[in-house]
Coordinates of all heavy atoms in Angstrom, one line a residue:
M1 N 152.4 191.4 180.4 CA 152.7 192.8 180.4 C 151.5 193.6 180.9 O 151.7 194.6 181.5 CB 153.0 193.3 179.0 CG 154.4 192.8 178.5 SD 155.7 193.5 179.6 CE 157.1 193.1 178.7
A2 N 150.3 193.0 180.7 CA 149.1 193.7 181.2 C 149.1 193.8 182.7 O 148.7 194.9 183.2 CB 147.8 193.0 180.7
T3 N 149.5 192.8 183.4 CA 149.6 192.8 184.8 C 150.6 193.8 185.3 O 150.3 194.5 186.3 CB 149.9 191.4 185.4 OG1 149.0 190.4 184.8 CG2 149.9 191.3 186.9
L4 N 151.7 193.9 184.6 CA 152.7 194.8 185.0 C 152.2 196.3 184.8 O 152.4 197.1 185.7 CB 154.0 194.6 184.1 CG 155.1 195.6 184.3 CD1 155.7 195.6 185.7 CD2 156.2 195.4 183.2
D5 N 151.6 196.5 183.7 CA 151.0 197.8 183.4 C 150.0 198.2 184.4 O 149.9 199.4 184.8 CB 150.5 197.9 182.0 CG 151.6 197.8 180.9 OD1 152.8 198.1 181.2 OD2 151.3 197.4 179.8
A6 N 149.1 197.2 184.8 CA 148.1 197.5 185.8 C 148.7 197.9 187.1 O 148.3 198.8 187.8 CB 147.2 196.3 185.9
W7 N 149.8 197.1 187.5 CA 150.5 197.4 188.8 C 151.0 198.9 188.7 O 150.9 199.6 189.7 CB 151.6 196.4 189.0 CG 152.3 196.7 190.3 CD1 152.0 196.2 191.5 CD2 153.5 197.5 190.4 NE1 152.9 196.7 192.4 CE2 153.8 197.5 191.8 CE3 154.3 198.2 189.6 CZ2 155.0 198.1 192.3 CZ3 155.4 198.9 190.1 CH2 155.7 198.8 191.5
A8 N 151.7 199.2 187.6 CA 152.3 200.6 187.5 C 151.2 201.6 187.5 O 151.4 202.7 188.2 CB 153.0 200.7 186.2
A9 N 150.0 201.4 187.0 CA 148.9 202.3 187.0 C 148.4 202.6 188.4 O 147.9 203.7 188.7 CB 147.8 201.9 186.0
R10 N 148.5 201.6 189.2 CA 148.0 201.7 190.6 C 149.0 202.5 191.5 O 148.6 202.9 192.6 CB 147.7 200.4 191.2 CG 146.5 199.7 190.6 CD 146.1 198.5 191.5 NE 147.2 197.5 191.6 CZ 147.4 196.5 190.8 NH1 146.7 196.3 189.7 NH2 148.4 195.6 191.1
Q11 N 150.2 202.7 191.0 CA 151.2 203.5 191.8 C 150.9 205.0 191.7 O 150.4 205.5 190.7 CB 152.6 203.2 191.3 CG 153.0 201.7 191.3 CD 152.7 201.0 192.6 OE1 153.2 201.4 193.7 NE2 151.8 200.0 192.6
A12 N 151.2 205.7 192.8 CA 150.9 207.1 192.9 C 151.5 207.9 191.8 O 150.9 208.8 191.2 CB 151.3 207.7 194.2
D13 N 152.8 207.6 191.4 CA 153.5 208.3 190.4 C 153.4 207.7 189.0 O 154.0 208.2 188.1 CB 154.9 208.6 190.8 CG 155.7 207.3 191.0 OD1 155.0 206.2 191.1 OD2 156.9 207.3 191.1
E14 N 152.7 206.6 188.8 CA 152.5 205.9 187.6 C 153.9 205.8 186.8 O 154.1 206.5 185.8 CB 151.5 206.6 186.7 CG 150.1 206.5 187.3 CD 149.0 207.0 186.3 OE1 149.2 206.8 185.1 OE2 148.0 207.5 186.8
P15 N 154.7 204.9 187.3 CA 156.1 204.8 186.7 C 156.0 204.2 185.3 O 155.0 203.5 184.9 CB 156.8 203.8 187.6 CG 155.7 203.0 188.3 CD 154.5 204.0 188.4
T16 N 157.0 204.4 184.5 CA 157.1 203.8 183.2 C 157.3 202.3 183.4 O 157.5 201.8 184.5 CB 158.3 204.3 182.4 OG1 159.5 203.9 183.1 CG2 158.3 205.8 182.2
R17 N 157.1 201.6 182.3 CA 157.2 200.1 182.3 C 158.6 199.7 182.8 O 158.7 198.8 183.7 CB 156.9 199.5 181.0 CG 156.9 198.0 181.0 CD 156.6 197.4 179.7 NE 155.2 197.5 179.4 CZ 154.6 197.4 178.2 NH1 155.3 197.1 177.2 NH2 153.3 197.5 178.1
S18 N 159.6 200.3 182.3 CA 161.0 199.9 182.8 C 161.2 200.3 184.3 O 161.8 199.5 185.0 CB 162.1 200.6 181.9 OG 162.0 202.0 182.0
E19 N 160.7 201.4 184.7 CA 160.8 201.8 186.1 C 160.0 200.8 187.0 O 160.4 200.4 188.1 CB 160.3 203.2 186.4 CG 160.3 203.7 187.8 CD 161.7 203.7 188.5 OE1 162.7 203.6 187.8 OE2 161.7 203.7 189.7
A20 N 158.8 200.4 186.5 CA 158.0 199.4 187.3 C 158.7 198.1 187.4 O 158.7 197.5 188.5 CB 156.7 199.2 186.6
I21 N 159.4 197.7 186.3 CA 160.1 196.4 186.4 C 161.3 196.5 187.4 O 161.5 195.6 188.2 CB 160.7 196.0 185.0 CG1 159.5 195.6 184.1 CG2 161.7 194.9 185.1 CD1 159.9 195.5 182.6
R22 N 162.0 197.7 187.4 CA 163.1 197.9 188.3 C 162.6 197.8 189.7 O 163.2 197.2 190.6 CB 163.7 199.2 188.0 CG 165.0 199.4 188.9 CD 165.4 200.9 188.9 NE 164.5 201.8 189.6 CZ 164.3 201.8 190.9 NH1 165.0 201.0 191.7 NH2 163.5 202.6 191.5
R23 N 161.4 198.5 190.0 CA 160.9 198.5 191.4 C 160.5 197.1 191.8 O 160.7 196.7 193.0 CB 159.7 199.4 191.5 CG 160.1 200.9 191.4 CD 158.8 201.7 191.5 NE 159.1 203.1 191.2 CZ 158.2 204.1 191.2 NH1 156.9 203.8 191.5 NH2 158.5 205.3 190.9
L24 N 159.8 196.3 190.9 CA 159.4 195.0 191.3 C 160.6 194.1 191.6 O 160.5 193.2 192.5 CB 158.4 194.4 190.2 CG 157.1 195.1 190.2 CD1 156.3 194.7 189.0 CD2 156.3 194.8 191.5
V25 N 161.6 194.2 190.8 CA 162.8 193.4 191.0 C 163.4 193.7 192.3 O 163.8 192.9 193.1 CB 163.8 193.6 189.8 CG1 165.2 193.0 190.2 CG2 163.3 192.9 188.5
E26 N 163.5 195.0 192.6 CA 164.1 195.5 193.9 C 163.2 194.9 195.1 O 163.8 194.4 196.0 CB 164.1 197.0 193.9 CG 164.8 197.5 195.1 CD 164.9 199.1 195.1 OE1 165.5 199.6 194.1 OE2 164.4 199.7 196.0
L27 N 161.9 194.9 194.9 CA 161.1 194.4 196.0 C 161.3 192.9 196.1 O 161.4 192.4 197.2 CB 159.6 194.6 195.6 CG 159.0 196.0 195.9 CD1 157.6 196.1 195.3 CD2 158.9 196.2 197.4
G28 N 161.4 192.2 195.0 CA 161.7 190.7 195.1 C 163.0 190.4 195.7 O 163.1 189.4 196.4
L29 N 164.0 191.2 195.5 CA 165.3 191.0 196.1 C 165.4 191.3 197.6 O 166.2 190.8 198.3 CB 166.4 191.8 195.4 CG 166.6 191.3 194.0 CD1 167.6 192.3 193.3 CD2 167.2 189.9 193.9
T30 N 164.4 192.1 198.1 CA 164.5 192.4 199.5 C 163.6 191.5 200.4 O 163.7 191.5 201.6 CB 164.0 193.9 199.7 OG1 162.7 194.1 199.2 CG2 165.0 194.8 199.1
V31 N 162.7 190.7 199.7 CA 161.8 189.8 200.5 C 162.6 188.7 201.0 O 163.5 188.1 200.4 CB 160.7 189.3 199.6 CG1 159.9 188.3 200.2 CG2 159.9 190.5 199.1
K32 N 162.4 188.3 202.3 CA 163.0 187.1 202.9 C 162.6 185.9 202.1 O 161.5 185.7 201.7 CB 162.7 187.0 204.4 CG 163.4 188.0 205.2 CD 163.2 187.6 206.7 CE 164.0 188.5 207.6 NZ 163.9 188.1 209.0
S33 N 163.5 184.9 202.1 CA 163.2 183.7 201.4 C 162.2 182.9 202.2 O 162.0 183.1 203.4 CB 164.4 182.8 201.1 OG 165.0 182.5 202.4
A34 N 161.5 182.0 201.6 CA 160.5 181.1 202.2 C 161.1 180.3 203.3 O 162.3 180.0 203.3 CB 159.8 180.3 201.2
V35 N 160.3 179.9 204.2 CA 160.7 179.0 205.3 C 161.0 177.7 204.8 O 160.4 177.2 203.8 CB 159.5 178.9 206.4 CG1 159.9 178.0 207.5 CG2 159.2 180.3 206.9
R36 N 162.0 177.1 205.3 CA 162.5 175.7 204.9 C 161.4 174.7 205.3 O 160.7 174.9 206.3 CB 163.8 175.4 205.5 CG 164.9 176.3 204.9 CD 166.2 176.0 205.6 NE 167.2 177.0 205.2 CZ 168.4 176.7 204.8 NH1 168.7 175.4 204.7 NH2 169.2 177.6 204.5
P37 N 161.3 173.7 204.5 CA 160.3 172.6 204.8 C 160.6 172.0 206.2 O 161.7 171.9 206.6 CB 160.4 171.6 203.7 CG 161.6 172.0 202.9 CD 162.1 173.4 203.3
T38 N 159.5 171.6 206.8 CA 159.7 170.9 208.1 C 160.2 169.5 207.9 O 160.2 169.0 206.8 CB 158.3 170.8 208.8 OG1 157.4 170.1 208.0 CG2 157.8 172.2 209.1
A39 N 160.6 168.9 209.0 CA 161.1 167.5 208.9 C 159.9 166.6 208.4 O 160.1 165.6 207.6 CB 161.6 167.0 210.2
K40 N 158.7 166.9 208.8 CA 157.5 166.1 208.4 C 157.3 166.2 206.9 O 157.1 165.2 206.2 CB 156.3 166.6 209.1 CG 155.1 165.8 208.9 CD 153.9 166.2 209.7 CE 152.6 165.5 209.4 NZ 151.5 165.9 210.2
A41 N 157.5 167.4 206.4 CA 157.3 167.6 204.9 C 158.4 167.0 204.1 O 158.2 166.4 203.1 CB 157.3 169.1 204.6
A42 N 159.6 167.0 204.7 CA 160.7 166.3 204.0 C 160.5 164.8 204.0 O 160.8 164.2 203.0 CB 162.0 166.7 204.7
A43 N 160.0 164.3 205.1 CA 159.8 162.8 205.2 C 158.7 162.4 204.2 O 158.8 161.4 203.5 CB 159.4 162.4 206.6
R44 N 157.7 163.2 204.1 CA 156.6 163.0 203.1 C 157.1 163.0 201.7 O 156.7 162.2 200.8 CB 155.5 164.0 203.3 CG 154.3 163.8 202.4 CD 153.5 162.6 202.6 NE 152.3 162.6 201.7 CZ 151.9 161.5 201.1 NH1 152.4 160.3 201.4 NH2 150.8 161.6 200.3
A45 N 157.9 164.0 201.4 CA 158.5 164.1 200.0 C 159.4 162.9 199.7 O 159.3 162.3 198.6 CB 159.4 165.4 199.9
A46 N 160.2 162.4 200.7 CA 161.0 161.2 200.5 C 160.1 160.0 200.3 O 160.4 159.1 199.4 CB 161.9 161.0 201.7
E47 N 159.0 159.9 201.0 CA 158.1 158.8 200.9 C 157.5 158.8 199.4 O 157.4 157.7 198.8 CB 157.0 158.9 201.9 CG 155.9 157.8 201.8 CD 154.7 158.1 202.8 OE1 155.0 158.8 203.8 OE2 153.6 157.6 202.5
L48 N 157.0 159.9 199.0 CA 156.5 160.0 197.6 C 157.5 159.7 196.6 O 157.2 159.0 195.6 CB 155.9 161.4 197.4 CG 154.6 161.7 198.2 CD1 154.3 163.2 198.1 CD2 153.5 160.8 197.9
A49 N 158.7 160.1 196.8 CA 159.8 159.9 195.8 C 160.1 158.4 195.8 O 160.3 157.8 194.7 CB 161.1 160.6 196.2
A50 N 160.1 157.7 196.9 CA 160.3 156.3 197.0 C 159.2 155.5 196.2 O 159.5 154.6 195.5 CB 160.4 155.8 198.4
K51 N 158.0 155.9 196.4 CA 156.9 155.3 195.7 C 157.0 155.5 194.2 O 156.8 154.5 193.4 CB 155.5 155.8 196.2 CG 155.2 155.3 197.5 CD 153.8 155.9 197.9 CE 153.4 155.4 199.3 NZ 152.1 155.9 199.7
A52 N 157.4 156.6 193.8 CA 157.6 156.9 192.3 C 158.7 156.1 191.8 O 158.6 155.5 190.7 CB 157.9 158.4 192.1
I53 N 159.8 155.9 192.5 CA 161.0 155.1 192.1 C 160.5 153.7 192.0 O 160.9 153.0 191.0 CB 162.2 155.3 193.1 CG1 162.7 156.7 192.9 CG2 163.2 154.3 192.8 CD1 163.7 157.1 194.0
D54 N 159.8 153.2 193.0 CA 159.3 151.8 192.9 C 158.5 151.5 191.7 O 158.5 150.4 191.1 CB 158.5 151.5 194.2 CG 159.3 151.3 195.4 OD1 160.6 151.1 195.3 OD2 158.8 151.5 196.6
K55 N 157.7 152.5 191.2 CA 156.9 152.3 190.1 C 157.7 152.0 188.8 O 157.2 151.4 187.9 CB 155.9 153.5 189.8 CG 154.8 153.5 190.8 CD 153.9 154.7 190.5 CE 152.8 154.8 191.5 NZ 151.9 156.0 191.2
H56 N 158.9 152.6 188.8 CA 159.7 152.6 187.6 C 160.9 151.6 187.7 O 161.8 151.6 186.9 CB 160.2 154.0 187.2 CG 159.2 154.9 186.9 ND1 158.5 154.9 185.7 CD2 158.6 155.9 187.6 CE1 157.5 155.8 185.7 NE2 157.6 156.4 186.9
A57 N 160.9 150.8 188.8 CA 162.0 149.9 189.1 C 162.1 148.8 188.1 O 161.1 148.4 187.5 CB 161.9 149.3 190.5
D58 N 163.3 148.4 187.8 CA 163.6 147.3 186.9 C 163.3 146.0 187.7 O 164.1 145.5 188.5 CB 165.1 147.3 186.5 CG 165.5 146.1 185.6 OD1 164.6 145.4 185.2 OD2 166.7 146.0 185.3
M59 N 162.2 145.4 187.4 CA 161.8 144.2 188.2 C 162.6 143.0 187.9 O 162.6 142.0 188.6 CB 160.3 143.9 187.9 CG 159.4 145.1 188.4 SD 159.7 145.6 190.0 CE 159.0 144.3 191.0
S60 N 163.4 143.0 186.8 CA 164.3 141.9 186.5 C 165.5 141.9 187.4 O 166.2 140.9 187.5 CB 164.7 141.9 185.0 OG 165.5 143.0 184.7
A61 N 165.8 143.0 188.0 CA 167.0 143.1 188.9 C 166.7 142.5 190.3 O 165.5 142.5 190.7 CB 167.4 144.5 189.1
P62 N 167.6 141.9 190.9 CA 167.4 141.3 192.3 C 166.9 142.4 193.2 O 167.2 143.6 193.1 CB 168.8 140.8 192.7 CG 169.6 140.7 191.5 CD 169.0 141.7 190.5
S63 N 166.1 142.0 194.2 CA 165.5 143.0 195.1 C 166.6 143.8 195.9 O 166.4 145.0 196.1 CB 164.6 142.3 196.1 OG 165.3 141.4 196.9
A64 N 167.7 143.2 196.2 CA 168.8 144.0 196.9 C 169.3 145.0 196.0 O 169.6 146.2 196.4 CB 169.9 143.0 197.3
E65 N 169.5 144.7 194.7 CA 170.0 145.7 193.7 C 169.0 146.8 193.6 O 169.3 148.0 193.5 CB 170.3 145.0 192.4 CG 170.8 146.0 191.3 CD 172.1 146.6 191.6 OE1 172.9 146.1 192.5 OE2 172.4 147.7 191.1
R66 N 167.7 146.5 193.5 CA 166.6 147.5 193.4 C 166.7 148.5 194.5 O 166.6 149.7 194.4 CB 165.2 146.9 193.2 CG 165.0 146.3 191.9 CD 163.5 146.0 191.6 NE 162.9 145.2 192.7 CZ 162.7 143.9 192.7 NH1 163.2 143.2 191.8 NH2 162.1 143.3 193.8
E67 N 166.8 147.9 195.8 CA 166.9 148.8 197.0 C 168.1 149.6 197.0 O 168.0 150.8 197.3 CB 166.8 147.9 198.2 CG 165.5 147.4 198.6 CD 164.5 148.5 198.8 OE1 164.7 149.4 199.6 OE2 163.4 148.4 198.2
S68 N 169.2 149.1 196.5 CA 170.5 149.9 196.4 C 170.3 151.0 195.5 O 170.7 152.2 195.8 CB 171.6 148.9 196.0 OG 172.8 149.7 195.8
R69 N 169.7 150.8 194.3 CA 169.5 151.8 193.3 C 168.6 152.9 193.9 O 168.8 154.1 193.7 CB 168.9 151.2 192.1 CG 169.9 150.4 191.3 CD 169.2 149.7 190.1 NE 170.1 148.8 189.4 CZ 169.7 148.0 188.4 NH1 168.4 148.0 188.0 NH2 170.5 147.3 187.8
K70 N 167.5 152.4 194.6 CA 166.5 153.4 195.1 C 167.2 154.3 196.2 O 167.0 155.5 196.2 CB 165.3 152.7 195.7 CG 164.3 153.6 196.3 CD 163.0 152.9 196.6 CE 163.1 152.0 197.8 NZ 161.7 151.5 198.2
N71 N 168.0 153.7 197.0 CA 168.7 154.5 198.1 C 169.7 155.5 197.5 O 169.8 156.6 198.0 CB 169.4 153.5 199.1 CG 168.5 152.8 200.0 OD1 167.4 153.3 200.3 ND2 168.9 151.7 200.4
R72 N 170.4 155.1 196.4 CA 171.3 156.0 195.7 C 170.5 157.2 195.2 O 170.9 158.4 195.3 CB 172.1 155.3 194.6 CG 173.2 154.6 195.2 CD 174.2 154.2 194.0 NE 173.5 153.6 192.9 CZ 173.5 152.3 192.6 NH1 174.2 151.5 193.3 NH2 172.9 151.9 191.5
L73 N 169.3 156.9 194.6 CA 168.5 158.0 194.0 C 167.9 158.9 195.2 O 167.9 160.1 195.0 CB 167.4 157.5 193.2 CG 167.7 156.8 191.9 CD1 166.6 156.1 191.3 CD2 168.2 157.9 190.9
L74 N 167.5 158.3 196.2 CA 166.9 159.1 197.3 C 167.9 160.0 198.1 O 167.7 161.1 198.4 CB 166.2 158.2 198.3 CG 164.9 157.6 197.8 CD1 164.3 156.6 198.8 CD2 163.8 158.6 197.5
K75 N 169.1 159.4 198.3 CA 170.1 160.1 199.0 C 171.0 161.1 198.2 O 171.5 162.0 198.7 CB 171.1 159.1 199.7 CG 170.4 158.4 200.9 CD 171.4 157.4 201.5 CE 170.7 156.7 202.6 NZ 171.6 155.7 203.3
G76 N 171.0 160.8 196.9 CA 171.9 161.6 196.0 C 173.3 161.2 196.1 O 173.7 160.4 197.0
P77 N 174.2 161.8 195.3 CA 175.6 161.5 195.4 C 176.2 161.8 196.8 O 175.9 162.8 197.4 CB 176.2 162.4 194.3 CG 175.1 162.8 193.4 CD 173.9 162.8 194.3
S78 N 177.1 161.0 197.2 CA 177.7 161.2 198.5 C 178.5 162.5 198.7 O 178.6 163.0 199.8 CB 178.6 160.0 198.9 OG 179.7 159.9 197.9
V79 N 178.9 163.0 197.6 CA 179.7 164.3 197.6 C 178.8 165.4 198.1 O 179.2 166.5 198.6 CB 180.3 164.7 196.3 CG1 181.4 163.7 195.9 CG2 179.3 164.8 195.2
F80 N 177.4 165.3 198.0 CA 176.5 166.3 198.4 C 175.9 166.1 199.8 O 175.2 166.9 200.3 CB 175.3 166.5 197.4 CG 175.8 166.9 196.1 CD1 175.6 166.1 194.9 CD2 176.4 168.1 195.9 CE1 176.0 166.5 193.7 CE2 176.9 168.6 194.7 CZ 176.7 167.8 193.6
W81 N 176.2 165.0 200.4 CA 175.6 164.6 201.7 C 175.9 165.7 202.8 O 175.0 166.1 203.5 CB 176.0 163.3 202.2 CG 175.5 162.1 201.4 CD1 174.6 162.2 200.4 CD2 175.8 160.8 201.6 NE1 174.3 161.0 199.9 CE2 175.0 160.0 200.6 CE3 176.6 160.1 202.5 CZ2 175.1 158.7 200.5 CZ3 176.6 158.7 202.3 CH2 175.9 158.0 201.4
D82 N 177.1 166.2 202.9 CA 177.5 167.2 203.9 C 176.7 168.5 203.6 O 176.3 169.2 204.5 CB 179.0 167.4 203.9 CG 179.7 166.3 204.5 OD1 179.1 165.5 205.2 OD2 180.9 166.1 204.2
V83 N 176.6 168.9 202.4 CA 175.9 170.1 202.0 C 174.4 170.0 202.4 O 173.9 171.0 203.0 CB 176.0 170.4 200.5 CG1 175.2 171.6 200.1 CG2 177.4 170.5 200.1
R84 N 173.8 168.9 202.2 CA 172.4 168.7 202.5 C 172.1 168.7 204.0 O 171.1 169.1 204.4 CB 171.8 167.4 201.8 CG 171.7 167.6 200.3 CD 171.3 166.3 199.7 NE 170.1 165.8 200.2 CZ 169.7 164.6 200.2 NH1 170.4 163.7 199.6 NH2 168.5 164.2 200.7
K85 N 173.0 168.2 204.8 CA 172.9 168.2 206.2 C 172.7 169.5 206.8 O 172.1 169.8 207.8 CB 174.0 167.4 206.9 CG 174.0 165.9 206.7 CD 175.2 165.2 207.3 CE 175.2 163.8 207.0 NZ 176.4 163.1 207.5
G86 N 173.4 170.5 206.2 CA 173.3 171.9 206.7 C 172.1 172.6 206.3 O 171.8 173.7 206.7
M87 N 171.2 172.0 205.5 CA 170.0 172.7 205.0 C 168.9 172.6 206.1 O 168.8 171.8 206.9 CB 169.5 172.1 203.7 CG 170.5 172.3 202.6 SD 170.0 171.5 201.1 CE 169.4 173.0 200.2

């Protein structure tokens, strides 16, 4: 709350706390969303996820089964594949 009150105090008309919250929410809603990750960043994220999955793999399962499980985790459910392609 201290940060909010400090922001309000820096405004020319020193709005009330509720007015300051309203203004900040309005500002947040008008800002464009962040840029989507690049293909390089997405590939790096997939690589890190694969390494994390390998660390927790069931080593008693056959290697083909471990790979199949990892691929399902990395790709997600097939019902979402079309949605993700559009991203």
Side-chain angles (χ1 to χ4, degrees):
M1 288 296 187
T3 306
L4 175 65
D5 292 336
W7 180 87
R10 288 192 305 270
Q11 304 309 302
D13 60 345
E14 294 188 30
T16 63
R17 184 177 284 165
S18 60
E19 177 63 17
I21 292 170
R22 188 196 65 74
R23 289 182 191 178
L24 289 171
V25 168
E26 189 175 300
L27 282 170
L29 293 173
T30 60
V31 173
K32 284 189 174 186
S33 61
V35 177
R36 292 177 189 229
T38 63
K40 184 177 178 181
R44 177 72 176 139
E47 177 186 334
L48 292 172
K51 285 181 181 180
I53 291 168
D54 287 339
K55 285 182 183 178
H56 298 283
D58 177 9
M59 298 310 286
S60 66
S63 62
E65 179 63 23
R66 285 194 310 265
E67 283 300 312
S68 174
R69 291 174 183 174
K70 181 167 70 171
N71 286 333
R72 281 195 311 256
L73 287 169
L74 290 173
K75 291 181 179 179
S78 59
V79 296
F80 296 119
W81 290 357
D82 290 336
V83 174
R84 289 178 53 205
K85 287 178 186 175
M87 295 179 103

